[in-house]
Amino acid sequence: MKTEIIILGGLSLLGLSIAQAVAGEPSLRLADSVVTGTGFAVASLMSPGSTTRIDEDDLRRRSLADVAELFRDIPGVVLTDADTPGMKRISIRGESSRRVTIRIDGQTMTDHTDYGTPLLIDPAMIERVEVVRGPSSVINGSNAIGGVVNIITRRGSDGPLASYVGGGYYSGTQGYRSNAGLAGSAGGVDYRLSLSRSEHGERRTRDVGELTNSSYDNESAALHLGYRRANHYLAFKAERFDMSAGTWVEPVPGASLRLDFPKRDQQRYALFHEVTDLGPVVKKLSANGYWRTVDREFSNSVQTQLPPLAVTSDSLDDQRTRGLALQTELELFSEQTTLLGLEYMDDELGSDKLSSTTVSTPMGPVRTTSTAQQQASQRTWSAFLQQDWALAEAWTAYLGGRYYRVKSELEQSTERAAVDSQDERALGSLGLVYSPAPHWAVRANLAQGYSYPNLNQLYSVVTASNRVHYGNPDLKPERAQVLELGWRYEVPRVTADVVLFHTSASDYIDRQRVTDTPAGYQPPSSARLEQWQYININEASTTGLEIAVEWRPDWFVQPHAAVSLSRREFDYGNGYATWNSGLPAASGTFGLRAYAPFWQQLDSELDLFIRTASGAERKGADRSVEDRESGYATLNLAMTFDYRERLSARLLLGNLLNRSYRPLGEMPGLKRHLDTELTLTF
């Protein structure tokens, strides 16, 4: 109840802020632009979808022990970590993280697991981020049912040489982060080199204390080399991110569980070529290709008293991805953009597994072991078109379409016979923006989403806890569509965005317990293991309201807020439907920001804010409660100090009231803690 009161109070303040701002004299449209929603640059105000841009100022004011914290205060966005620190993932509008596309510099990062693609990147590499909420598979590819996160990395600096060193300390994990970099540009060449290292201990919470096996560490290196000559720009990027992490498991009476990710290493090499202003019709040609590898190691051990059972399993996966994209922007009609593109992506996944099961019997322990190897691939070809139309002076329409062809193949396996599956699909989107004045616009958007099953869901055999999960090569793709109505207002004193949406999705992939081993697979190593298989059973519909506003009056303090109100219904296809889908009905951030210059050299910014969410519960297909968490509200104070654009310090006093809380899908929240970061630029 207290959480709802906080959110209602914040909404009241938000309404007064918008009313006051709208009553003021409008000014010119702000210059920020986005590309992720349409495929080409448009002013934020004119984007047909719900798009949030995180720019350099947002990056500067955040304390970032984890890059995922950038997204926590975006309406409709929820972070999940599956109790594995350092590997947070993005959930948008209640859609699981594997239904959200993660892109870096426009290139899709795939992850053939149940959890979705984690955000593993050094924050110092990021120039800006664009987040599209809602289905966006027409422009941004498969899996974009929930939305898209596009991270644009930095290039070189303005001068021939710039450098920085930085570090941070985080009391909640007794952790640290250090980073350093060089950047510059001269004679048409630009470059950037970034290095980072982090190490975090056990998470400290108020009620549970230190969470066992919750430490993690990572290190990264990134290189950018670019060359510009006339209207051509060629760039090469190389990135490496290595991490290891434990997984905190909530104690279960009569059982001992331990999960570890001793290794999750990824590398990416990418080449970009862009040509602009080729003539009155061809405005831009671009091509990019990349090679990405992900090496994962997973260890799982379970011991139960009743029944007396011990299961250990180790898995080593290696994923290899090759991608190629060609794109052109044309002006076939005056001041209207036609975007044409082709994309190809080839994923290969190899895995080696070793499992051991020990059962206590009256005759003594009986131990069985098994090994398995598998090689599978998935290839996706697609072509897309996006057209904007100036229908009248104040009206702009965006029409898009994409054709997909996907083929997956289990090439070899010790657990079943080789098999393949494929799909062809056409998707569309239609957006309409009405902007009678340069400072506000209303929009309507109808878009489709598409998610083809990953290789794990199609073919793998995975043992976790006392269960074995089988893939299903007959799975159908998941599909979704959204209808949005929105309003944006942008003047120097205020920015506001309000959107009402309804999303319907079908053919959701879930797991269902089976009594017999599915056809084509070998029986499990022990008859005591529960058998589950992936199937299409779920449907979901979500309706919500999202509001984001920042008011900048000539006061000492400036209010800001981001609010999400939503309801989501799951239909499991077995006669049971529930609103308890794990999505909080209300969540938001409400704050007061103040700017206080000291002397003539030191600028400071203070932000006192409340982060809150209502309680949530998730029920499974058998009507049992799978997860439940109470509502919460935390009080936080963030401070940023900048000295002559040379020395920057960031401090976060988190959970000032030392509340005990746990967001659904995450580990228990940190107790009262202090994050400090310092960056020196030369």
Side-chain angles (χ1 to χ4, degrees), residues 52 111 200 230 236-237 259 324 341 345 437 513 586 610 612 620 626 648:
T52 299
D111 189 274
H200 294 265
F236 169 76
K237 291 180 180 287
L259 305 177
L324 177 65
M345 187 163 59
R513 188 172 182 180
I610 294 173
T612 182
E626 296 180 340
S648 175

Side-chain angles (χ1 to χ4, degrees), residues 32-36 44 51-59 64 67-68 70-71 74 90 101-105 119 121-123 125-132 148-154:
D32 285 348
S33 64
V34 292
V35 300
T36 308
S44 298
T51 305
T52 299
R53 174 184 166 121
I54 302 172
D55 57 21
E56 194 170 355
D57 287 340
D58 296 303
L59 292 164
L64 295 174
V67 71
L70 276 174
F71 306 92
I74 298 176
I90 294 287
T101 294
I102 305 297
R103 294 190 137 193
I104 299 180
D105 297 316
L119 295 164
I121 188 171
D122 177 12
M125 289 174 51
I126 301 175
E127 176 185 305
R128 71 180 191 277
V129 181
E130 296 175 4
V131 181
V132 178
V148 181
V149 174
N150 188 19
I151 298 172
I152 295 92
T153 59
R154 292 181 180 273

Side-chain angles (χ1 to χ4, degrees), residues 14 71 74 108 120 187 221 274 296 308 311 322 337 364 395 423 439 452 467 470 472 541 571 595 614 657:
L14 177 65
F71 306 92
I74 298 176
T108 300
L120 305 179
E274 181 179 283
R296 292 182 291 254
V311 179
R322 293 170 293 177
T337 302
W395 294 86
D423 186 61
H439 59 280
Y452 193 76
R467 297 179 176 182
Y470 296 99
N472 184 352
S541 61
D571 186 340
Y595 299 89
S614 61
L657 302 181

Side-chain angles (χ1 to χ4, degrees), residues 485-498:
L485 301 173
W487 171 73
R488 285 195 185 98
Y489 185 85
E490 296 182 357
V491 293
R493 287 180 178 269
V494 69
T495 54
D497 187 85
V498 181

Side-chain angles (χ1 to χ4, degrees), residues 468-490:
V468 56
H469 304 277
Y470 296 99
N472 184 352
D474 296 324
L475 288 174
K476 294 183 291 185
E478 300 174 327
R479 296 169 292 122
Q481 60 183 18
V482 63
L483 174 62
E484 296 181 346
L485 301 173
W487 171 73
R488 285 195 185 98
Y489 185 85
E490 296 182 357

Side-chain angles (χ1 to χ4, degrees), residues 372-386:
Q373 294 81 38
Q374 176 179 290
Q375 191 72 34
S377 64
Q378 187 171 102
R379 296 173 177 85
T380 304
W381 298 262
S382 62
F384 61 92
L385 165 70
Q386 178 85 355

Side-chain angles (χ1 to χ4, degrees), residues 350-676:
S351 64
D352 293 283
K353 296 181 174 64
L354 171 64
S355 299
S356 172
T357 304
T358 302
V359 180
S360 296
T361 70
M363 304 299 295
V366 176
R367 183 172 182 263
T368 58
T369 61
S370 63
T371 60
Q373 294 81 38
Q374 176 179 290
Q375 191 72 34
S377 64
Q378 187 171 102
R379 296 173 177 85
T380 304
W381 298 262
S382 62
F384 61 92
L385 165 70
Q386 178 85 355
Q387 175 70 56
D388 73 329
W389 298 93
L391 301 179
E393 184 176 353
W395 294 86
T396 304
Y398 298 85
L399 178 64
R402 183 185 282 250
Y403 168 77
Y404 285 97
R405 185 179 180 189
V406 187
K407 182 175 182 180
S408 294
E409 184 177 4
L410 179 62
E411 297 163 356
Q412 65 179 54
S413 172
T414 59
E415 297 171 302
R416 65 157 301 140
V419 66
D420 60 48
S421 58
Q422 58 186 357
D423 186 61
E424 295 184 55
R425 189 80 48 164
L427 304 177
S429 64
L430 175 63
L432 187 63
V433 179
Y434 173 63
S435 181
H439 59 280
W440 69 275
V442 293
R443 67 187 187 275
N445 188 42
L446 179 63
Q448 293 181 304
Y450 171 78
S451 180
Y452 193 76
N454 63 44
L455 294 171
N456 181 54
Q457 295 167 336
L458 288 167
Y459 309 124
S460 292
V461 179
V462 178
T463 301
S465 185
N466 62 336
R467 297 179 176 182
V468 56
H469 304 277
Y470 296 99
N472 184 352
D474 296 324
L475 288 174
K476 294 183 291 185
E478 300 174 327
R479 296 169 292 122
Q481 60 183 18
V482 63
L483 174 62
E484 296 181 346
L485 301 173
W487 171 73
R488 285 195 185 98
Y489 185 85
E490 296 182 357
V491 293
R493 287 180 178 269
V494 69
T495 54
D497 187 85
V498 181
V499 59
L500 178 67
F501 70 90
H502 177 78
T503 303
S504 59
S506 59
D507 292 327
Y508 267 15
I509 297 172
D510 206 336
R511 287 172 288 198
Q512 179 174 284
R513 188 172 182 180
V514 294
T515 56
D516 299 317
T517 303
Y521 289 99
Q522 301 291 333
S525 58
S526 172
R528 293 175 180 261
L529 290 174
E530 296 180 2
Q531 299 184 83
W532 293 67
Q533 187 177 32
Y534 293 98
I535 60 173
N536 294 100
I537 57 173
N538 293 1
E539 295 183 357
S541 61
T542 310
T543 301
L545 174 68
E546 297 167 349
I547 305 172
V549 66
E550 185 171 349
W551 185 25
R552 298 173 289 273
D554 294 327
W555 299 352
F556 176 71
V557 295
Q558 301 179 356
H560 63 91
V563 180
S564 177
L565 306 174
S566 56
R567 293 202 69 193
R568 180 174 175 84
E569 183 183 32
F570 268 149
D571 186 340
Y572 284 101
N574 60 357
Y576 176 59
T578 179
W579 291 99
N580 295 313
S581 59
L583 179 66
S587 61
T589 302
F590 305 92
L592 295 173
R593 189 174 290 129
Y595 299 89
F598 291 94
W599 307 294
Q600 296 181 352
Q601 307 292 334
L602 181 64
D603 293 325
S604 70
E605 176 185 315
L606 283 74
D607 188 7
L608 182 67
F609 62 96
I610 294 173
R611 186 176 285 145
T612 182
S614 61
E617 182 177 273
R618 182 172 60 241
K619 290 186 176 181
D622 60 356
R623 308 185 183 223
S624 64
V625 177
E626 296 180 340
D627 203 355
R628 178 193 291 131
E629 296 297 339
S630 302
Y632 68 90
T634 63
L635 180 65
N636 311 272
L637 175 62
M639 295 174 282
T640 302
F641 302 92
D642 287 304
Y643 178 69
R644 301 180 63 179
E645 299 183 352
R646 293 291 184 182
L647 181 63
S648 175
R650 292 175 288 192
L651 291 88
L652 172 67
L653 300 174
N655 195 9
L656 285 169
L657 302 181
N658 206 25
R659 303 294 298 272
S660 176
Y661 71 101
R662 183 179 184 183
L664 195 74
E666 292 190 76
M667 295 188 299
L670 290 167
K671 67 178 184 179
R672 185 188 295 120
H673 60 281
L674 170 66
D675 295 351
T676 60

